[in-house]
Amino acid sequence: MQLQRLLSYTRKAVDEYQMIEDGDHIAVGISGGKDSLTLLYALHGLKRFYPKKFELSAITVDLGFEDFDLTPIRELCKEMEIPYTIVKSEIYNILFNIRKESNPCSLCAKMRKGALNEAIKAAGCNKVAYAHHKDDIVETMLLSLLFEGRFHSPRTYLDRMDLTVIRPMMFVDEMDVIGFKNKYDLPVVKSKCPVDGYTKRQYAKELVRQLNTEHPGAKERMFRAILNGD
């Protein structure tokens, strides 16, 4: 996928859901994966020509895994002139060594999100951009339906944090993100998590894939249902 196409999809989402206003300071949570790095490129590119002026900051919550080298991402942010904050944490040690959690994902997500939101507020940001692409949106819908009984909007206000969550990549397919990563040689830092690939998210991904195989077009119809129900 070309950068121009990524920017077109991003602007469509931002415009249709009024995700960005003049004076916004948007935090991008950087995990090190392809999705968050693609989002960083998308918002950095959009910032250059979007009529509403906004600032960007990038933040990574370091869970404490050994050999998790964020130097390539630090260099990318420096090149883009985007302030980059790395939040050191003991989340890995707490989950795997102290508590010895057999199913750590839910608690990890809560702890990581708490540390991220704290850093976002400290940086003076009023919005946070999640790198959810179209496949993520559908998978999240399934997970929320199965385990929470509710849907999430592409634009959400967190009243406790006085923070707005936006999802500018909601119209981008995961295959396009993979293509973008390969074309632009994004400096992906691979996850060191021992349960990576064995999560509820992976279960939802495989379920969507199966449904779309058995019922061609099912993923797209589910995505349209989410938009129509918003």
Side-chain angles (χ1 to χ4, degrees), residues 2-122:
Q2 296 279 353
L3 178 59
Q4 194 61 38
R5 187 175 173 194
L6 173 64
L7 294 178
S8 175
Y9 281 137
T10 302
R11 179 156 191 173
K12 174 179 167 66
V14 168
D15 285 346
E16 288 192 12
Y17 288 89
Q18 296 85 51
M19 292 183 182
I20 295 177
E21 300 296 338
D22 266 318
D24 279 346
H25 189 171
I26 303 170
V28 181
I30 303 294
S31 66
K34 67 183 188 323
D35 300 340
S36 58
L37 292 176
T38 299
L39 175 61
L40 193 66
Y41 266 81
L43 290 178
H44 176 258
L46 190 69
K47 184 175 183 287
R48 291 187 311 224
F49 64 85
Y50 199 61
K52 296 177 180 178
K53 302 305 176 186
F54 62 94
E55 297 300 320
L56 287 175
S57 288
I59 301 172
T60 295
V61 177
D62 185 343
L63 303 183
F65 296 113
E66 290 185 12
D67 303 321
F68 189 61
D69 184 10
L70 292 163
T71 302
I73 296 174
R74 187 184 286 110
E75 290 300 316
L76 175 64
C77 289
K78 184 178 179 181
E79 181 183 321
M80 290 180 164
E81 299 183 339
I82 297 174
Y84 182 43
T85 301
I86 299 173
V87 181
K88 296 289 185 180
S89 80
E90 289 292 319
I91 293 175
Y92 169 76
N93 186 43
I94 292 168
L95 292 177
F96 291 96
N97 296 329
I98 298 174
R99 295 176 61 103
K100 302 185 188 301
E101 294 280 340
S102 56
N103 297 296
C105 298
S106 178
L107 181 56
C108 179
K110 288 178 183 176
M111 294 175 72
R112 189 176 67 247
K113 193 165 289 186
L116 177 63
N117 286 346
E118 196 173 300
I120 288 168
K121 297 301 290 185

Side-chain angles (χ1 to χ4, degrees), residues 199-212:
T199 61
K200 283 182 180 177
R201 170 68 63 180
Q202 186 63 29
Y203 166 73
K205 185 180 291 292
E206 290 168 4
L207 182 57
V208 171
R209 187 181 298 127
Q210 180 184 343
L211 288 170
N212 204 53

